[in-house]
Every structure is written in structure tokens, then in C-alpha cells.
Amino acid sequence: IYKDNGAANFACLRHMASNMVRAEPTKISLVAKQKRCLMNPSFLEKVLAAGIPAMVEK
């Protein structure tokens, strides 16, 4: 993270991940969605499925 463009690259990845979590339509908090993704691979698949089309639209 500390060399060259590492910090900017990780910031971009974090931003993309948070946008994917926001795109998922379940009405729970972002932190709860992140925890649910950590513990439940099927929910992670739902987040990825909702997030990728949302990123392509932009």
C-alpha cells in the first residue's frame, strides 16, 4: 500500500466495493451488509450481481 500508487489503487477498490454494497437493494445498513457478505457467500454473490451492472451503467 505504501509504494508508488498503492494507496490510490486501494482507495479505488474500496470505493468500488462500497458502491457495490450500496447497489444491493436490501434495506439494512452498509455495515450490516458488509458483515453479511463476510459470513454468507450467497449474499456476497447477490451484492456482486447487483453491483456489477450498476458500475457498468456509469
Side-chain angles (χ1 to χ4, degrees):
I1 294 177
Y2 301 108
K3 287 185 82 175
D4 300 327
N5 297 328
N9 292 340
F10 271 94
C12 182
L13 288 173
R14 280 193 306 271
H15 189 79
M16 288 170 51
S18 66
N19 285 342
M20 286 182 159
V21 171
R22 281 191 196 104
E24 206 279 323
T26 306
K27 296 294 183 188
I28 56 176
S29 70
L30 294 178
V31 174
K33 286 182 186 181
Q34 289 171 346
K35 287 182 183 179
R36 196 175 281 185
C37 284
L38 177 68
M39 293 186 227
N40 189 351
S42 63
F43 188 74
L44 176 61
E45 289 177 8
K46 285 182 187 178
V47 169
L48 292 174
I52 290 174
M55 288 178 39
V56 173
E57 290 175 0
K58 293 180 181 181

